[in-house]
Amino acid sequence: MNYYLDVIKKYAVFTGRARRQEYWMFALFNVGIVLVLSIIDMVALGANVLVPLYSLAVLLPNLGVTVRRLHDTGRSGWWCLIALVPVVGVIVLIVFLATEGNQAGDKYGPNPKYVPTA
């Protein structure tokens, strides 16, 4: 739950780096919330209202964590646009997001896995 809330708190932060765990836990929570909202939509409302509203609400946090995740792999945030290429683009983006981040610091910031001992 902390990963989800951390991403929401940094909803418009497009600088820095995000670990794989941060990105994928946020994605997992989003899938769960969308499933619950879909059930509520079907049972209570009979229309698809809540899922689009939720998707719009988390659009910026989702984009921000995706850009930070790409930064962790040493890629520019503009690589998000590859998802616009039908089928292949989404697959390539998923591979980029699942790739381990750079161990050393880069132009996007220090390694987010590094925990100072002090």
Side-chain angles (χ1 to χ4, degrees):
M1 187 68 171
N2 287 335
Y3 290 107
Y4 183 81
L5 294 176
D6 288 343
V7 171
I8 297 296
K9 287 176 188 174
K10 297 188 274 186
Y11 73 95
V13 177
F14 296 95
T15 58
R17 296 167 61 173
R19 296 177 61 185
R20 275 187 295 186
Q21 186 174 14
E22 179 182 1
Y23 177 81
W24 290 108
M25 290 302 288
F26 180 74
L28 179 66
F29 272 95
N30 273 338
V31 168
I33 291 170
V34 165
L35 287 175
V36 169
L37 290 177
S38 295
I39 292 170
I40 293 171
D41 270 347
M42 284 188 284
V43 172
L45 302 175
N48 195 11
V49 176
L50 297 177
V51 173
L53 288 175
Y54 174 75
S55 297
L56 186 61
V58 295
L59 178 67
L60 273 180
N62 193 9
L63 187 59
V65 75
T66 302
V67 167
R68 290 193 311 273
R69 178 71 204 125
L70 287 170
H71 285 174
D72 191 42
T73 62
R75 292 176 179 83
S76 168
W78 288 104
W79 275 102
C80 287
L81 297 177
I82 199 166
L84 297 175
V85 176
V87 182
V88 175
V90 173
I91 294 170
V92 170
L93 184 61
I94 290 172
V95 169
F96 287 168
L97 295 172
T99 304
E100 185 175 359
N102 296 337
Q103 295 300 321
D106 58 15
K107 65 182 179 180
Y108 301 111
N111 185 354
K113 277 188 175 181
Y114 174 71
V115 179
T117 56

